[in-house]
Amino acid sequence: MSTKKIRLSILDQSPIRKGATAEQAVQETVELAKYTDQLGYTRYWVSEHHNTRTLAGSTPEVLIAHLAGQTQRMRIGSGGIMMPNHSTLKVAENFRMLEALFPGRIDLGMGRAPGTDRITASVLNPSNQFREDDFVEQLTDLNNYFHDTYEPGTIHSRIRAIPQVKTVPDKWLLSSSGQSGLFAAHFGMGFSFAHFINPVGGPLNVKLYRERFMPSDDLAQPQANVAVFVFCSEDEEKIKQHQAVMDHRFLQFEKGGPIIPLSYQDVKDEIYTPADLERIRQNRYRLITGTPLQIKLKLTWLADDYDVDEIMAVTITEDFNDRLASYKLLAQQFEL
């Protein structure tokens, strides 16, 4: 087993617990960021989701500004900005403003999925054609905006993203399939693999990203991490109950049924078909649970498998205190 120092970071979707409100979910995000900043976590990313009753995180660019002001040390960023929903110029200006306010602490993580259903995506951006070429064009334009450069003869020669600031946010591409890893390599950006969405093929995709990486003005060496659902507790019964809730949540999503906040009481008597049980077995690779010592072993194995030194933990619990405790136990095990 590797002896390399593993850094821990957080991806927070601002989950709305059963019986809680969206306002509470956002306040819990603020509290968790302040708490984990003190614990020594490396970065804290917030997500962009739309038209859902279970996640409150819809505008990472707004939340980042508040979180960065409430924390001192951690990098704060998006996990991610879903680029097809946005004007590239507006993304550049949002993140230049964030850099002006918090220079050297901002991450711009980007995805090419809409973070919602197709109908909502078409309302968010009526001109969205869902084309891969459009995403590549956005990445090219974004680099130009951040560096005040432009392709000769294009409309961009007449446009500057303001405020014009000296620093550039760290740029990451997020992927659950691997294609964006090739884009990240081409553009010289960081690469984050979403193991919590797709537990298959991630290590190979990170390897391809490293092999094909082309240094950029902003990043000289490849930089990769892996995001995974994590729950750590000293109470084995809590671990079992958490697993049962997550099993059901994954199935809910895959079947296209109503996605609603759940508790263990809602799922404890659920009877699954053989097909359901097979999906549960596969989906369990998206989640790492255990007692403190078990978690350290499992996460170290995951980091070795991906050949990364940073893990982004995604933790959703019924009780907010269990979420805080899980992140504290992780920090202790990895001596942050």
Side-chain angles (χ1 to χ4, degrees):
M1 191 170 70
S2 170
T3 56
K4 68 185 170 191
K5 177 78 172 170
I6 294 174
R7 296 173 298 147
L8 296 180
S9 295
I10 293 166
L11 172 59
D12 181 6
Q13 301 167 315
S14 302
I16 303 171
R17 295 178 293 104
K18 185 174 182 181
T21 63
E23 290 90 343
Q24 283 174 291
V26 173
Q27 285 307 312
E28 286 170 2
T29 284
V30 176
E31 189 176 333
L32 182 62
K34 289 159 73 171
Y35 184 65
T36 51
D37 188 41
Q38 298 301 314
L39 289 176
Y41 280 76
T42 297
R43 67 185 89 242
Y44 195 104
W45 286 357
V46 288
S47 65
E48 177 185 341
H49 291 91
H50 304 280
N51 198 26
T52 171
R53 293 163 58 189
T54 57
L55 305 172
S58 60
T59 53
E61 65 275 23
V62 175
L63 202 45
I64 289 166
H66 185 65
L67 295 178
Q70 295 286 312
T71 53
Q72 275 76 50
R73 194 198 56 80
M74 276 191 303
R75 298 189 65 89
I76 308 293
S78 55
I81 295 287
M82 298 301 148
M83 292 299 286
N85 298 338
H86 303 278
S87 145
T88 313
L89 175 61
K90 192 57 187 163
V91 172
E93 292 194 327
N94 284 341
F95 278 79
R96 275 196 143 181
M97 180 61 78
L98 289 167
E99 275 292 327
L101 292 167
F102 309 101
R105 283 188 61 210
I106 301 298
D107 289 343
L108 169 54
M110 295 168 282
R112 62 190 180 107
T116 186
D117 57 87
R118 279 287 180 113
I119 294 173
T120 308
S122 68
V123 175
L124 278 164
N125 179 6
S127 65
N128 184 4
Q129 300 295 310
F130 300 97
R131 288 187 312 218
E132 198 170 86
D133 289 352
D134 292 341
F135 182 63
V136 174
E137 188 176 316
Q138 283 191 294
L139 297 178
T140 301
D141 291 345
L142 194 69
N143 272 338
N144 285 330
Y145 286 135
F146 280 139
H147 291 284
D148 296 307
T149 54
Y150 55 87
E151 300 290 329
T154 64
I155 191 172
H156 301 95
S157 64
R158 297 158 54 191
I159 301 169
R160 295 292 176 271
I162 59 170
Q164 289 178 279
V165 294
K166 292 190 176 86
T167 55
V168 175
D170 279 8
K171 297 186 293 297
W172 293 73
L173 291 189
L174 285 47
S175 180
S176 60
S177 66
Q179 177 60 53
S180 287
L182 300 179
F183 294 150
H186 174 78
F187 284 100
M189 298 178 180
F191 178 49
S192 180
F193 192 85
H195 187 98
F196 72 102
I197 296 175
N198 176 21
V200 179
L204 176 60
N205 286 307
V206 171
K207 182 172 182 283
L208 285 172
Y209 159 74
R210 291 189 189 282
E211 288 173 354
R212 300 188 184 189
F213 181 82
M214 296 165 61
S216 64
D217 291 340
D218 302 316
L219 190 62
Q221 300 291 332
Q223 181 172 235
N225 66 34
V226 55
V228 61
F229 281 117
V230 178
F231 179 65
C232 184
S233 175
E234 291 169 325
D235 183 337
E236 299 214 1
E237 181 59 27
K238 275 188 180 176
I239 294 169
K240 188 186 88 175
Q241 293 185 9
H242 178 82
Q243 183 79 69
V245 172
M246 295 299 285
D247 288 343
H248 192 81
R249 181 176 277 128
F250 294 150
L251 270 182
Q252 254 190 330
F253 186 78
E254 288 183 351
K255 289 181 173 182
I259 309 299
I260 55 174
L262 292 168
S263 71
Y264 177 67
Q265 292 305 312
D266 296 323
V267 305
K268 66 182 176 66
D269 298 321
E270 197 76 23
I271 296 171
Y272 295 113
T273 66
D276 288 340
L277 292 171
E278 176 57 22
R279 285 311 307 154
I280 286 171
R281 189 181 72 78
Q282 293 294 328
N283 280 326
R284 285 200 172 180
Y285 292 110
R286 299 163 60 183
L287 171 67
I288 291 179
T289 63
T291 60
L293 280 176
Q294 290 168 341
I295 279 279
K296 183 167 189 185
L297 282 170
K298 290 177 181 180
L299 288 179
T300 302
W301 286 334
L302 184 76
D304 286 349
D305 200 21
Y306 274 82
D307 189 24
V308 296
D309 64 0
E310 181 183 2
I311 290 172
M312 298 207 80
V314 193
T315 302
I316 298 176
T317 59
E318 288 182 63
D319 185 318
F320 181 57
N321 287 326
D322 288 340
R323 200 163 167 224
L324 295 175
S326 179
Y327 282 118
K328 182 179 181 180
L329 291 169
L330 285 182
Q332 290 171 344
Q333 282 301 308
F334 286 92
E335 299 173 355
L336 301 189

